[in-house]
């Protein structure tokens, strides 16, 4: 029983030590999100047609 207690005590101390060390590190730099490029209208329409076809196929499959 004492072995388990000692192991858990070491685990708690180790976790606290790691937490302290991590807090001392500088925060990572967060890059700014890049501006999204506008997709051409034809490509967008093609994607919508494909989504509509997949939705219709799924609806037909689940009606059976």
């Amino acid at each position: 029983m004492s072995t388990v207690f000692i192991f858990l005590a070491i685990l708690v101390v180790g976790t606290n030590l790691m937490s302290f060390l991590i807090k001392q590190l500088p925060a990572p730099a967060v890059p700014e999100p890049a501006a999204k490029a506008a997709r051409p209208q034809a490509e967008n329409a093609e994607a919508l047609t494909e989504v509509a076809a997949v939705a219709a196929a799924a609806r037909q499959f689940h009606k059976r």
Side-chain angles (χ1 to χ4, degrees), residues 13-28:
V13 170
T15 303
N16 286 335
L17 178 64
M18 285 188 290
S19 175
F20 174 77
L21 292 174
I22 293 295
K23 287 179 184 177
Q24 299 302 316
L25 294 175

Side-chain angles (χ1 to χ4, degrees), residues 7-60:
F7 172 74
L8 290 176
I10 292 171
L11 193 64
V12 168
V13 170
T15 303
N16 286 335
L17 178 64
M18 285 188 290
S19 175
F20 174 77
L21 292 174
I22 293 295
K23 287 179 184 177
Q24 299 302 316
L25 294 175
V30 179
E32 294 184 22
K36 292 185 179 179
R39 291 182 10 178
Q41 190 66 22
E43 188 177 316
N44 192 19
E46 183 179 308
L48 289 177
T49 304
E50 186 176 343
V51 169
V54 170
R59 190 178 317 121
Q60 184 178 9

